[in-house]
């Protein structure tokens, strides 16, 4: 399956995708670590010297990483393939042909979902369920809508494949303050946010470790044939 570029959030998610590709002997896409959050990602895409490769005619970009569940149907470790993303009443669709090919290839392992993109961390289980019900969204992330809006405007085919790292039954620590304005993670506020809420932090760490392993495995599977 021709995929030119993989975009994945910097840090643990990027490392998991790299591990998944590490043993592949055939040709693999260019992997690019992107900042966390809508505004940092947009700034990065607009300024990146690599835009020329993103925006080549008929190029295909696969966005990978983790997401949070807004529905009881999806739990930690589930692999999801986006149909679209909503943000502030607007909607952007993933490329249907590209998405259908990925779905066919990974069929028994992956669920087609509708996504919400948020500017901040959705940490409260009650808010997750409320957003899921009112917006008819299944999962949430912090980059999807921005990426789709940018690439759709440029005529680049985009698909989005993610793994659920936290469910909608439990709170996670509010780590919004740990995300810098440039979309990087600040270790000190991250550690403090975890220490203030040790039970929710433990659950988030366990969920992240499980989902990162799944992300590594699905990456490997996608390119190992």
């Amino acid at each position: 399956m021709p995929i030119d570029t993989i975009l994945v959030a910097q840090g643990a998610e990027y490392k998991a995708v790299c591990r998944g590709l590490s043993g592949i002997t055939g040709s693999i896409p260019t992997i690019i670590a992107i900042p966390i959050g809508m505004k940092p990602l947009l700034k990065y895409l607009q300024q990146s010297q690599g835009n020329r490769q993103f925006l080549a005619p008929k190029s295909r970009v696969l966005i990978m990483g983790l997401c949070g569940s807004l529905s009881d149907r999806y739990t930690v470790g589930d692999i999801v393939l986006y149909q679209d993303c909503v943000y502030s009443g607007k909607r952007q669709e993933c490329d249907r042909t590209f998405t259908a090919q990925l779905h066919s290839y990974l069929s028994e392992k992956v669920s087609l979902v509708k996504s919400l993109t948020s500017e901040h961390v959705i940490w409260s289980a009650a808010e997750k369920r409320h957003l899921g019900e009112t917006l008819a969204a299944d999962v949430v992330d912090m980059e999807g809508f921005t990426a789709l809006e940018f690439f759709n405007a440029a005529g680049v085919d985009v698909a989005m494949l993610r793994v659920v790292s936290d469910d909608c039954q439990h709170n996670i620590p509010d780590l919004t303050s740990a995300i810098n304005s440039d979309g990087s993670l600040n270790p000190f506020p991250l550690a403090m946010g975890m220490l203030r809420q040790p039970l929710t932090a433990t659950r988030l760490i366990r969920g992240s470790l499980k989902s990162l392993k799944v992300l590594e495995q699905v990456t490997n599977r996608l390119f190992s044939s």
Side-chain angles (χ1 to χ4, degrees):
M1 188 183 310
I3 297 170
D4 302 292
T5 309
I6 294 175
L7 300 186
V8 58
Q10 60 191 6
E13 294 164 70
Y14 175 77
K15 289 174 184 173
V17 170
C18 289
R19 284 195 302 271
L21 291 170
S22 61
I24 304 299
T25 52
S27 63
I28 59 171
T30 304
I31 316 165
I32 297 174
I34 57 173
I36 300 164
M38 299 182 72
K39 289 176 183 173
L41 176 60
L42 180 60
K43 186 176 179 183
Y44 171 83
L45 291 173
Q46 289 172 336
Q47 293 181 347
S48 173
Q49 294 303 306
N51 274 357
R52 286 187 293 279
Q53 93 188 30
F54 294 156
L55 305 179
K58 298 183 179 176
S59 64
R60 280 183 155 190
V61 173
L62 178 62
I63 295 162
M64 302 185 75
L66 305 182
C67 62
S69 175
L70 302 177
S71 163
D72 291 331
R73 292 190 299 277
Y74 305 103
T75 189
V76 174
D78 286 351
I79 305 166
V80 295
L81 188 60
Y82 287 16
Q83 293 174 300
D84 56 32
C85 278
V86 295
Y87 168 74
S88 192
K90 295 177 285 186
R91 188 166 72 100
Q92 290 284 336
E93 287 193 3
C94 296
D95 183 77
R96 292 183 183 184
T97 303
F98 189 7
T99 300
Q101 288 173 342
L102 287 165
H103 187 242
S104 173
Y105 190 77
L106 298 166
S107 54
E108 78 279 10
K109 296 272 186 180
V110 67
S111 302
L112 288 167
V113 297
K114 295 185 175 297
S115 164
L116 165 70
T117 299
S118 171
E119 290 185 285
H120 62 276
V121 176
I122 307 294
W123 58 269
S124 154
E127 186 182 8
K128 286 186 196 179
R129 291 193 296 272
H130 174 73
L131 289 169
E133 289 162 8
T134 55
L135 300 175
D138 303 302
V139 297
V140 62
D141 68 44
M142 295 180 69
E143 302 84 27
F145 184 90
T146 298
L148 284 179
E149 190 171 49
F150 179 86
F151 288 117
N152 285 343
V156 173
D157 294 346
V158 185
M160 219 167 299
L161 184 67
R162 291 186 183 257
V163 180
V164 175
S165 61
D166 52 280
D167 63 31
C168 68
Q169 297 299 323
H170 303 94
N171 294 344
I172 61 171
D174 181 5
L175 301 176
T176 301
S177 63
I179 302 171
N180 294 323
S181 60
D182 65 355
S184 62
L185 279 175
N186 191 329
F188 183 70
L190 182 67
M192 292 306 295
M194 294 286 202
L195 287 170
R196 275 196 295 268
Q197 303 169 72
L199 287 177
T200 57
T202 301
R203 188 179 290 113
L204 178 64
I205 291 165
R206 281 187 190 145
S208 296
L209 290 173
K210 179 178 179 178
S211 53
L212 288 167
K213 188 66 185 172
V214 175
L215 183 62
E216 178 185 337
Q217 291 166 346
V218 73
T219 304
N220 184 269
R221 181 170 173 207
L222 203 51
F223 296 97
S224 60
S225 57

